[in-house]
Each structure stands twice: as structure tokens, then as C-alpha cells.
Amino acid sequence: PVVLDTLKTDDYLMADFRNASQTMQGVNLWIAYYANQRKGASVHSPRSCLPGGGWEIQNFDQHTITDVGPAGEAMTVNRAVIGKGNAVQLVYYWFVERGRIQTNEYAVKWYIFWDALTRNRTDGALVRVTTFVPDRALVPDADARLEGFVRTIHPQLAYYLPQWDATLLEPEPALAAN
């Protein structure tokens, strides 16, 4: 309850998943949804909150997952290897902002501002998937696990996360890619 009060989400999902045989590490899915983002109540980056929870970011980069979209499109996510004591986790996360998938926190803020002005919309979500890595040598296995999980859930997310309003067709502002 304390964490949820701090995050001020309008809705959220936190679920743990395992394969049917229960033989591999599980995947945790966290989605934080905000119907109206404003100061004090908006998506924030795990890059900021993970260290606050005692996790050290040991590696952070962008990661491309192939064959995610319906026509085989790739998707770029933020990828972090984090550690706390002897525990190591692999984390992928991205922001879904009115049909845009973003990895850059500054672009997220810009589009919140832009869409508030042009669409009267500021809804958005953070999607984060995490898996434990029992041994550093197994990070490639953890990548494969998270990539497969994202490919599985991504088509379903479109039904639940903020989508583009196709009735509003004004051009996008110029903004550098993620």
C-alpha cells in the first residue's frame, strides 16, 4: 500500500508467470497505468526507482526485440542488469504513451505536454518485465526468456494500454528518435 500510494497509479497489474513445466525462472510483469498524468502522478522510470529500492544498475542499454509486431516489427526496450547482494535480475521496460512506445524518459515528458495541448490526453503506462538470473553466465538465457515473454504478451497489451486516437490526424512534432 505504501508503494502504491507513492506511485499514485490509476490502475496496475503485477503478476508472476512461469512456463507450464515450471522448470525455468519465472517472469514478473508490472504495468502501471495513469489515466491523467500530472505533476506527482505520472509514469516514472525504473532507472530512478530501482536504486531507491537498493538495486544497483550494473548495466543499462537499449535492446531490440525482433518479431514483436503483427508484421514482424522489432521493438526497442530499455534493458538493465541489476544486482542487490548476490541477487541479479534482468529488467526490460518501456513506456506506452497514447500509441507510442517510448524508451526515452524525456521524450515521454515531451509527448505528455504535446498531447495535452493537441489531444487533451495525458494517459500513459509503464510496462516492466523482470526475471532473476541465477548465474551471470546465464544472462543470455534470461534475455531469451524475456524476449519470448514480450513477444507473447505484446499483442494483448494493445487491448489494455493507451492507444492512438486515429480520429486526430494532425502531424507529429519533430522529435529525435528514442
Side-chain angles (χ1 to χ4, degrees):
V2 172
V3 172
L4 290 174
D5 288 343
T6 301
L7 294 174
K8 295 181 173 80
T9 62
D10 290 302
D11 205 354
Y12 72 95
L13 170 70
M14 184 166 62
D16 292 316
F17 295 86
R18 291 197 182 276
N19 69 347
S21 67
Q22 301 288 317
T23 60
M24 70 176 199
Q25 293 292 324
V27 173
N28 175 265
L29 171 64
W30 165 255
I31 301 174
Y33 170 74
Y34 295 85
N36 181 17
Q37 296 182 79
R38 60 201 176 284
K39 185 175 176 121
S42 64
V43 295
H44 68 282
S45 174
R47 199 170 182 178
S48 301
C49 68
L50 290 170
W55 292 93
E56 176 187 336
I57 297 176
Q58 299 171 346
N59 183 317
F60 183 86
D61 57 6
Q62 302 278 300
H63 184 74
T64 300
I65 305 171
T66 59
D67 298 321
V68 175
E73 299 92 346
M75 181 173 114
T76 301
V77 299
N78 290 311
R79 177 186 178 275
V81 176
I82 61 174
K84 181 195 278 188
N86 292 329
V88 176
Q89 295 188 64
L90 180 64
V91 179
Y92 289 177
Y93 71 91
W94 62 95
F95 304 94
V96 181
E97 300 287 323
R98 298 152 312 280
R100 297 180 195 90
I101 294 175
Q102 298 286 329
T103 56
N104 182 302
E105 291 88 353
Y106 297 108
V108 168
K109 298 297 184 194
W110 164 252
Y111 280 118
I112 290 170
F113 169 74
W114 179 256
D115 291 347
L117 288 175
T118 63
R119 293 178 172 82
N120 198 29
R121 286 184 62 188
T122 62
D123 51 326
L126 164 73
V127 180
R128 183 189 74 200
V129 294
T130 308
T131 190
F132 278 98
V133 182
D135 180 317
R136 279 212 187 274
L138 299 176
V139 169
D141 293 342
D143 272 312
R145 184 166 49 254
L146 288 186
E147 287 177 7
F149 185 79
V150 170
R151 284 186 194 103
T152 300
I153 67 164
H154 191 267
Q156 300 305 314
L157 292 179
Y159 293 104
Y160 301 101
L161 297 179
Q163 296 301 309
W164 190 258
D165 185 344
T167 62
L168 301 170
L169 299 175
E170 74 279 350
E172 289 289 314
L175 183 67
N178 290 339

